[in-house]
Amino acid sequence: FSEMLSNPKLVPVQGTLNVVMKQNVTLSCLSQAGSPPVRYTLFKHNQQVSAVNRSDSTPALFTLTISSASDVGEYKCKAEYNNSSGGKYSNSLTFTLIEPISKPVLSSPTSQAKKGQNVTLSCFSENGSLPITYLFFKGKQSIPPQKTMQKREAAVIFLFLDSLSDFGTYKCKANNSFPNNSKYSNSFNFTLAEERSHSQPLIISLGLILLLLIIGFALAIPFFIIPLYKASE
């Protein structure tokens, strides 16, 4: 007499359903109630993938290679006794294909600014599975809060350059659900724009007026000065 099988439990051995392309993953299938031997069959989209016979109470292990987008589809496991009809099905599992993020690019519409000016910084990773979380840094000091972007768009922060210390080096960091895959951006520096003197435009204007007077005087010599000189002789 065989004890009635319970519905088997299908779990990823790695503990996560987030996978990357060409990754090997292992699924474990086990009925807690039942007398060995038990036959376990793994299905993907209701198509049989593999079958394992267990003569003890250890789980059946199925190793898969994620080689295409179709390999992340729905998986189920069936437990049954040999030479018996029916069987019990497990829960379903679906993998999520994740892509590592690319190195983010940190940029701003301007690299020169004055004290007391408002500026923006944007951080963007072109590749990588969403959502992507961005964190900005001034030197080694983080600038909270971090920004999580659900769409493929840049994270933007607004800064007020209040003192010379605000003109230092900035960076940003990006990460997503891919484990241990944080990437740092290029460095970006704001430089202090030289303040032009208010008297400088006036000096330039006066210089131009003087130059025009000299040119005008030179042009007037043949027409006015010389005739007057000859008339006086």
Side-chain angles (χ1 to χ4, degrees), residues 116-188:
Q117 182 175 334
N118 291 306
V119 294
T120 61
L121 272 177
S122 64
C123 185
F124 180 65
S125 285
E126 186 174 354
N127 299 310
S129 300
L130 298 170
I132 298 177
T133 299
Y134 297 94
L135 183 61
F136 292 82
F137 291 86
K138 164 69 171 59
K140 295 183 178 180
Q141 186 69 36
S142 62
I143 305 173
Q146 62 182 15
K147 295 179 176 288
T148 300
M149 310 305 293
Q150 303 291 339
K151 296 180 180 179
R152 186 75 59 189
E153 58 188 17
V156 179
I157 61 169
F158 299 89
L159 301 171
F160 179 65
L161 303 180
D162 190 37
S163 63
L164 288 177
S165 63
D166 295 327
F167 287 81
T169 301
Y170 291 84
K171 280 191 175 185
C172 69
K173 179 178 73 170
N175 60 69
N176 61 2
S177 56
F178 194 90
N180 304 316
N181 187 52
S182 294
K183 296 283 181 66
Y184 284 87
S185 72
N186 54 295
S187 298
F188 189 92

Side-chain angles (χ1 to χ4, degrees), residues 29-44:
C29 184
L30 177 66
S31 287
Q32 294 291 343
S35 303
V38 177
R39 180 177 176 83
Y40 294 97
T41 306
L42 183 68
F43 294 88
K44 180 182 71 175

Side-chain angles (χ1 to χ4, degrees), residues 2-24:
S2 297
E3 182 184 355
M4 182 176 290
L5 286 168
S6 61
N7 289 87
K9 187 174 183 181
L10 186 64
V11 295
V13 173
Q14 291 88 349
T16 177
L17 291 172
N18 292 330
V19 295
V20 297
M21 200 66 77
K22 299 182 180 180
Q23 179 180 339
N24 291 327

Side-chain angles (χ1 to χ4, degrees), residues 215-228:
I215 293 173
F217 182 76
L219 292 173
I221 289 175
F223 299 100
F224 298 102
I225 306 298
I226 294 175
L228 288 172

Side-chain angles (χ1 to χ4, degrees), residues 89-105:
Y89 284 90
S90 72
N91 54 296
S92 62
L93 292 180
T94 301
F95 291 105
T96 299
L97 189 63
I98 60 172
E99 180 187 5
I101 51 174
S102 57
K103 180 179 178 179
V105 175

